[in-house]
Structure formats: C-alpha cells, structure tokens
Amino acid sequence: MDRQEWDFLIINNPGIVHLEDRLSQIITEMGQTGIVCELLSGSSTRSASSYHHRILQSCYAVVLEAEQVIGVLTAQEIIGWLFTKQFSEASKDCQLSRIFTGSVLPLPESDLTDQISVIQLLQQRKASCLPIVDAQQQFVGLLTTESLARFSKPLAPLRLQTVADVMQTAPITVGLDCSIGAIAQQMSEQNTRVLVLPFETSDLIANPGLQQAWGIIQAQDVVQLLAFGVDLNRVQAATIMQPIATITSEETLWSAYQQIDRQGGYPLAVTSP
C-alpha cells in the first residue's frame, strides 16, 4: 500500500486529551458529537460517512504528555471508572492523571506496510486502535478497527477466514425497557463496550409477520448522554438503540468488513447459517 491509501484509513483528527484535564471536561468533549444526541432530538441521519467520523470522536481520545503519545482513552474506560463502587460523583472533577493507568506502544508510520499486518497486530494486542507516530515520535493519526474496515481492495487472507473464527461468543443481551443506567453498570461489571438488544420487527411488504432483529448500545452512547447531563436511569434502551445488520458465522471476514463499512462502522450480529 502507498501512503495515499494509508491516509484514507488513518484518522488524523481524533480527540486529544492531557493528564491534567479533568474527567468532566473530557466527557463533555467526547460526548458533544454523536448520533445519540440527534436521536434524542429527533434529527438523526444515519449516513455511513458521517457516522464513521462521529463514532471515532466519541469513542477514542489520544492521551498526550509533553506532546508524546502515552495512551488512548476509550469510552469503555470512562464507563468502567464512573460505575465502579469506588468512584463517587465528585470524582468526575478529578484529573485524568489520577485514574488513567493505560499505556500504548505507538506504531511508527514507517512500519505501515500492509493492512493484514496491522490487523494481526491489533489482534495480538487485543486492541481496537493503534496510534501512529512519525520519526520524531510526534502523533500522526489513529488507526482503528472501524477505519480499517474501509478497505478499497479485497484482501486474500480475509477471504480464507470465516466470521466464526473471530466473533465474540455469548454477547451480553438486555431488554428494550432496560435503563441506560443499568446498562452502564453492566458494561462496567462485565468489562464490555457493547450490549445487544434482541427485538422483533415487521416488514409488511417483503416479509409479512414478525422477524427477529438486533440492536446495540455502545459505551460511547452512554458517554454522550453523560455529556448532556441526562439522567441515565430515566432513559430506556429503546430510545437510543441502533439497529444493526446480521451476518452468518459461515461467511468470510471479507464479507463482514464490507458490510461493516457500508453501515458506517457498526458491529454485526452473527446468526446461525
């Protein structure tokens, strides 16, 4: 791949935070842009490109110290801190340095050779993103599992693996009437950033009768609600749930990546063949 192709995949404008920043300020900055706020106002537009951009702003923030990358803060980590028994409401005003213990090894841009190597590195690190730095260790941008789904050419190794090889089994499910407060608590306790909501829908033209469908609530959705001071216990999952597409476990990873890109970075629900 040449540099122009990598530039298409690298996110060069993620949120930037510092150790001296207060958690309440970070929540506000990460949560100000997102589809959840539009859903609550009734003005949501779900285009793949716009959602792809907004999910990255609300899900990841690069942590800098003396202009050097020292970590990546995720919405899941924020939920984990806020909903532990040891974390009080007043702690929202604490500095990030008090609670951030994560570290990350940036990837030099000179090591950007092919997409498969980067995918394998993410899998090895069990990470969802990689910060990219230049020869002077200055931050260049962020590669994420969402941005890597925007492949322009078929990748042979992804045609050889199936969805079953990498899918998360036994996802945590909740009901449509579950409060977002209870969902956030589950995310913290189960150390997960996605909860699945099964529901039934109908298409009177194509498929008469009730059909099984799936939706999700993600950690960044909760952070967006917190940023706007919403009482999480007064909002039900059905209010902000986003429907997702399905794929069977026998389909190839290439098919999965194509479908993820078409729907703007959303995960897929895996169903039986």
Side-chain angles (χ1 to χ4, degrees):
M1 286 182 61
D2 58 30
R3 183 50 198 257
Q4 186 176 2
E5 290 178 296
W6 279 114
D7 287 342
F8 178 71
L9 300 179
I10 293 174
I11 309 303
N12 57 17
N13 60 345
I16 301 294
V17 297
H18 302 84
L19 292 177
E20 62 269 21
D21 292 344
R22 298 193 177 278
L23 186 56
S24 56
Q25 173 190 350
I26 294 171
I27 290 172
T28 298
E29 291 177 355
M30 289 181 69
Q32 280 182 340
T33 304
I35 59 167
V36 165
C37 305
E38 295 179 354
L39 283 170
L40 292 176
S41 65
S43 61
S44 176
T45 56
R46 181 173 169 171
S47 72
S49 59
S50 63
Y51 178 79
H52 181 79
H53 178 74
R54 288 175 292 186
I55 191 177
L56 293 167
Q57 288 184 322
S58 60
C59 190
Y60 304 104
V62 177
V63 184
L64 300 183
E65 183 177 30
E67 301 309 312
Q68 303 290 303
V69 178
I70 62 170
V72 177
L73 177 65
T74 69
Q76 181 181 345
E77 288 175 308
I78 292 177
I79 299 304
W81 293 328
L82 290 178
F83 290 88
T84 59
K85 294 180 180 178
Q86 295 79 17
F87 203 90
S88 65
E89 184 69 21
S91 298
K92 286 184 181 179
D93 282 329
C94 72
Q95 291 186 327
L96 181 61
S97 58
R98 280 190 51 196
I99 51 180
F100 184 72
T101 59
S103 61
V104 65
L105 184 63
L107 183 69
E109 57 183 346
S110 58
D111 289 350
L112 293 173
T113 54
D114 62 273
Q115 292 162 316
I116 292 298
S117 297
V118 175
I119 292 172
Q120 291 174 338
L121 183 58
L122 283 168
Q123 292 175 342
Q124 291 169 6
R125 295 186 182 183
K126 297 181 179 180
S128 57
C129 61
L130 283 172
I132 309 301
V133 295
D134 61 19
Q136 289 72 45
Q137 295 298 303
Q138 297 296 301
F139 177 66
V140 172
L142 199 64
L143 275 173
T144 74
T145 52
E146 293 91 357
S147 65
L148 283 171
R150 307 180 72 189
F151 295 123
S152 57
K153 299 176 182 178
L155 301 176
L158 294 183
R159 293 185 180 277
L160 301 177
Q161 282 186 292
T162 66
V163 171
D165 294 328
V166 299
M167 69 181 185
Q168 176 188 341
T169 58
I172 302 170
T173 60
V174 295
L176 294 175
D177 59 350
C178 186
S179 74
I180 302 302
I183 286 174
Q185 191 68 49
Q186 285 196 57
M187 285 181 174
S188 176
E189 294 173 355
Q190 303 294 330
N191 191 30
T192 183
R193 68 187 181 100
V194 177
L195 268 66
V196 178
L197 294 86
F199 66 98
E200 293 182 327
T201 187
S202 62
D203 186 334
L204 297 179
I205 299 176
N207 296 296
L210 293 176
Q211 305 292 324
Q212 181 66 64
W214 306 90
I216 55 170
I217 301 287
Q218 302 187 88
Q220 61 264 31
D221 300 333
V222 180
V223 170
Q224 290 166 26
L225 292 178
L226 289 169
F228 280 80
V230 175
D231 184 346
L232 301 186
N233 294 317
R234 296 176 63 89
V235 179
Q236 291 187 332
T239 307
I240 66 168
M241 173 204 71
Q242 288 293 296
I244 55 174
T246 61
I247 192 169
T248 67
S249 57
E250 291 184 346
E251 293 188 60
T252 67
L253 282 185
W254 175 244
S255 295
Y257 271 107
Q258 286 181 307
Q259 196 160 336
I260 289 171
D261 185 35
R262 283 196 299 268
Q263 64 173 13
Y266 278 92
L268 301 173
V270 183
T271 59
S272 300

Short mmCIF file of all heavy atoms in Angstrom, two decimals, residues 193-221:
data_model
loop_
_atom_site.label_atom_id
_atom_site.label_comp_id
_atom_site.label_asym_id
_atom_site.label_seq_id
_atom_site.Cartn_x
_atom_site.Cartn_y
_atom_site.Cartn_z
N ARG A 193 -17.89 -3.07 25.90
CA ARG A 193 -18.30 -1.77 25.35
C ARG A 193 -19.56 -1.87 24.51
O ARG A 193 -20.05 -0.86 24.00
CB ARG A 193 -17.17 -1.15 24.52
CG ARG A 193 -16.82 -1.86 23.24
CD ARG A 193 -15.59 -1.23 22.61
NE ARG A 193 -15.22 -1.85 21.35
CZ ARG A 193 -15.49 -1.35 20.16
NH1 ARG A 193 -16.16 -0.23 20.05
NH2 ARG A 193 -15.09 -1.96 19.06
N VAL A 194 -20.10 -3.09 24.34
CA VAL A 194 -21.28 -3.27 23.51
C VAL A 194 -22.25 -4.22 24.20
O VAL A 194 -21.85 -5.28 24.69
CB VAL A 194 -20.91 -3.86 22.13
CG1 VAL A 194 -22.17 -4.10 21.31
CG2 VAL A 194 -19.98 -2.92 21.38
N LEU A 195 -23.53 -3.84 24.27
CA LEU A 195 -24.60 -4.72 24.71
C LEU A 195 -25.60 -4.88 23.57
O LEU A 195 -25.88 -3.93 22.85
CB LEU A 195 -25.30 -4.19 25.96
CG LEU A 195 -24.74 -4.70 27.31
CD1 LEU A 195 -23.34 -4.19 27.54
CD2 LEU A 195 -25.64 -4.27 28.45
N VAL A 196 -26.11 -6.09 23.43
CA VAL A 196 -27.00 -6.42 22.31
C VAL A 196 -28.45 -6.46 22.79
O VAL A 196 -28.74 -6.94 23.90
CB VAL A 196 -26.61 -7.78 21.70
CG1 VAL A 196 -27.56 -8.16 20.56
CG2 VAL A 196 -25.17 -7.74 21.21
N LEU A 197 -29.34 -5.95 21.95
CA LEU A 197 -30.76 -5.94 22.27
C LEU A 197 -31.53 -6.71 21.20
O LEU A 197 -31.62 -6.27 20.06
CB LEU A 197 -31.31 -4.51 22.33
CG LEU A 197 -30.77 -3.60 23.43
CD1 LEU A 197 -29.48 -2.92 23.01
CD2 LEU A 197 -31.80 -2.56 23.80
N PRO A 198 -32.08 -7.88 21.55
CA PRO A 198 -32.93 -8.58 20.59
C PRO A 198 -34.33 -7.97 20.59
O PRO A 198 -34.85 -7.59 21.63
CB PRO A 198 -32.95 -10.02 21.13
CG PRO A 198 -32.69 -9.87 22.59
CD PRO A 198 -31.85 -8.64 22.78
N PHE A 199 -34.93 -7.85 19.42
CA PHE A 199 -36.30 -7.36 19.35
C PHE A 199 -36.94 -7.91 18.09
O PHE A 199 -36.28 -8.56 17.26
CB PHE A 199 -36.35 -5.82 19.38
CG PHE A 199 -35.74 -5.15 18.19
CD1 PHE A 199 -36.53 -4.69 17.14
CD2 PHE A 199 -34.37 -4.94 18.12
CE1 PHE A 199 -35.96 -4.07 16.04
CE2 PHE A 199 -33.79 -4.32 17.01
CZ PHE A 199 -34.60 -3.88 15.98
N GLU A 200 -38.21 -7.68 17.94
CA GLU A 200 -38.94 -8.16 16.77
C GLU A 200 -39.43 -6.98 15.95
O GLU A 200 -39.81 -5.95 16.50
CB GLU A 200 -40.13 -9.04 17.18
CG GLU A 200 -39.70 -10.36 17.82
CD GLU A 200 -40.89 -11.23 18.18
OE1 GLU A 200 -41.95 -10.67 18.52
OE2 GLU A 200 -40.76 -12.46 18.10
N THR A 201 -39.40 -7.16 14.64
CA THR A 201 -39.85 -6.11 13.74
C THR A 201 -40.66 -6.75 12.62
O THR A 201 -40.72 -7.98 12.50
CB THR A 201 -38.66 -5.32 13.15
OG1 THR A 201 -39.15 -4.21 12.40
CG2 THR A 201 -37.81 -6.21 12.25
N SER A 202 -41.27 -5.95 11.81
CA SER A 202 -42.07 -6.49 10.71
C SER A 202 -41.88 -5.67 9.46
O SER A 202 -41.67 -4.46 9.51
CB SER A 202 -43.56 -6.51 11.08
OG SER A 202 -44.02 -5.19 11.32
N ASP A 203 -41.88 -6.36 8.33
CA ASP A 203 -41.82 -5.73 7.01
C ASP A 203 -43.03 -6.26 6.23
O ASP A 203 -43.01 -7.37 5.71
CB ASP A 203 -40.51 -6.10 6.30
CG ASP A 203 -40.34 -5.36 4.98
OD1 ASP A 203 -41.37 -4.98 4.39
OD2 ASP A 203 -39.20 -5.17 4.55
N LEU A 204 -44.07 -5.47 6.18
CA LEU A 204 -45.33 -5.94 5.61
C LEU A 204 -45.24 -6.24 4.11
O LEU A 204 -46.05 -6.99 3.57
CB LEU A 204 -46.43 -4.89 5.84
CG LEU A 204 -46.76 -4.60 7.32
CD1 LEU A 204 -47.83 -3.53 7.41
CD2 LEU A 204 -47.20 -5.88 8.03
N ILE A 205 -44.22 -5.68 3.45
CA ILE A 205 -44.10 -5.89 2.01
C ILE A 205 -43.21 -7.11 1.70
O ILE A 205 -43.62 -8.05 1.02
CB ILE A 205 -43.54 -4.64 1.31
CG1 ILE A 205 -44.50 -3.47 1.53
CG2 ILE A 205 -43.30 -4.90 -0.17
CD1 ILE A 205 -43.99 -2.16 0.96
N ALA A 206 -41.99 -7.09 2.24
CA ALA A 206 -41.03 -8.16 1.90
C ALA A 206 -41.23 -9.41 2.75
O ALA A 206 -41.18 -10.53 2.24
CB ALA A 206 -39.60 -7.63 2.07
N ASN A 207 -41.45 -9.23 4.05
CA ASN A 207 -41.55 -10.38 4.96
C ASN A 207 -42.71 -10.17 5.93
O ASN A 207 -42.51 -9.69 7.04
CB ASN A 207 -40.24 -10.56 5.74
CG ASN A 207 -39.07 -10.89 4.85
OD1 ASN A 207 -39.04 -11.92 4.22
ND2 ASN A 207 -38.10 -9.97 4.80
N PRO A 208 -43.90 -10.50 5.52
CA PRO A 208 -45.05 -10.34 6.42
C PRO A 208 -44.85 -11.13 7.71
O PRO A 208 -44.28 -12.21 7.71
CB PRO A 208 -46.21 -10.91 5.60
CG PRO A 208 -45.75 -10.82 4.19
CD PRO A 208 -44.27 -11.04 4.21
N GLY A 209 -45.30 -10.55 8.82
CA GLY A 209 -45.13 -11.21 10.11
C GLY A 209 -43.92 -10.69 10.85
O GLY A 209 -43.09 -9.96 10.31
N LEU A 210 -43.79 -11.08 12.11
CA LEU A 210 -42.69 -10.62 12.95
C LEU A 210 -41.38 -11.31 12.57
O LEU A 210 -41.35 -12.51 12.29
CB LEU A 210 -43.00 -10.87 14.42
CG LEU A 210 -44.17 -10.05 15.00
CD1 LEU A 210 -44.44 -10.45 16.43
CD2 LEU A 210 -43.86 -8.56 14.91
N GLN A 211 -40.30 -10.53 12.55
CA GLN A 211 -38.98 -11.06 12.24
C GLN A 211 -38.02 -10.69 13.38
O GLN A 211 -38.13 -9.63 13.98
CB GLN A 211 -38.45 -10.44 10.93
CG GLN A 211 -39.38 -10.61 9.74
CD GLN A 211 -39.49 -12.04 9.29
OE1 GLN A 211 -38.52 -12.78 9.34
NE2 GLN A 211 -40.69 -12.44 8.85
N GLN A 212 -37.07 -11.61 13.66
CA GLN A 212 -36.07 -11.33 14.68
C GLN A 212 -35.11 -10.26 14.17
O GLN A 212 -34.63 -10.31 13.04
CB GLN A 212 -35.28 -12.60 15.03
CG GLN A 212 -34.22 -12.40 16.10
CD GLN A 212 -34.82 -12.06 17.44
OE1 GLN A 212 -35.54 -12.85 18.03
NE2 GLN A 212 -34.53 -10.87 17.95
N ALA A 213 -34.84 -9.27 15.01
CA ALA A 213 -33.89 -8.22 14.66
C ALA A 213 -32.99 -7.95 15.87
O ALA A 213 -33.24 -8.43 16.98
CB ALA A 213 -34.63 -6.95 14.24
N TRP A 214 -31.95 -7.16 15.64
CA TRP A 214 -30.95 -6.92 16.68
C TRP A 214 -30.56 -5.45 16.70
O TRP A 214 -30.49 -4.79 15.67
CB TRP A 214 -29.70 -7.79 16.45
CG TRP A 214 -30.01 -9.24 16.32
CD1 TRP A 214 -30.31 -9.92 15.17
CD2 TRP A 214 -30.10 -10.18 17.38
NE1 TRP A 214 -30.58 -11.23 15.45
CE2 TRP A 214 -30.45 -11.43 16.80
CE3 TRP A 214 -29.93 -10.12 18.77
CZ2 TRP A 214 -30.63 -12.58 17.54
CZ3 TRP A 214 -30.09 -11.26 19.52
CH2 TRP A 214 -30.44 -12.48 18.91
N GLY A 215 -30.29 -4.95 17.90
CA GLY A 215 -29.80 -3.59 18.06
C GLY A 215 -28.66 -3.57 19.06
O GLY A 215 -28.37 -4.59 19.71
N ILE A 216 -27.99 -2.45 19.19
CA ILE A 216 -26.88 -2.34 20.13
C ILE A 216 -26.91 -1.01 20.88
O ILE A 216 -27.44 -0.02 20.40
CB ILE A 216 -25.50 -2.47 19.45
CG1 ILE A 216 -25.35 -1.44 18.31
CG2 ILE A 216 -25.24 -3.88 18.97
CD1 ILE A 216 -23.94 -1.36 17.77
N ILE A 217 -26.33 -1.05 22.08
CA ILE A 217 -25.97 0.15 22.84
C ILE A 217 -24.47 0.06 23.05
O ILE A 217 -23.96 -0.97 23.49
CB ILE A 217 -26.67 0.20 24.21
CG1 ILE A 217 -28.20 0.17 24.05
CG2 ILE A 217 -26.21 1.43 24.99
CD1 ILE A 217 -28.79 1.45 23.53
N GLN A 218 -23.74 1.14 22.75
CA GLN A 218 -22.29 1.14 22.90
C GLN A 218 -21.86 2.13 23.98
O GLN A 218 -22.61 3.04 24.35
CB GLN A 218 -21.63 1.48 21.57
CG GLN A 218 -22.01 0.52 20.45
CD GLN A 218 -21.22 0.77 19.18
OE1 GLN A 218 -20.14 0.23 19.00
NE2 GLN A 218 -21.75 1.59 18.30
N ALA A 219 -20.65 1.93 24.48
CA ALA A 219 -20.14 2.77 25.57
C ALA A 219 -20.16 4.24 25.20
O ALA A 219 -20.49 5.10 26.03
CB ALA A 219 -18.72 2.33 25.95
N GLN A 220 -19.83 4.56 23.94
CA GLN A 220 -19.82 5.97 23.55
C GLN A 220 -21.22 6.58 23.57
O GLN A 220 -21.37 7.79 23.76
CB GLN A 220 -19.17 6.16 22.17
CG GLN A 220 -19.85 5.45 21.03
CD GLN A 220 -19.19 4.12 20.73
OE1 GLN A 220 -18.65 3.48 21.62
NE2 GLN A 220 -19.22 3.73 19.48
N ASP A 221 -22.26 5.74 23.41
CA ASP A 221 -23.63 6.25 23.52
C ASP A 221 -23.90 6.75 24.93
O ASP A 221 -24.53 7.80 25.13
CB ASP A 221 -24.64 5.15 23.18
CG ASP A 221 -24.46 4.60 21.77
OD1 ASP A 221 -23.97 5.35 20.90
OD2 ASP A 221 -24.81 3.43 21.54
#
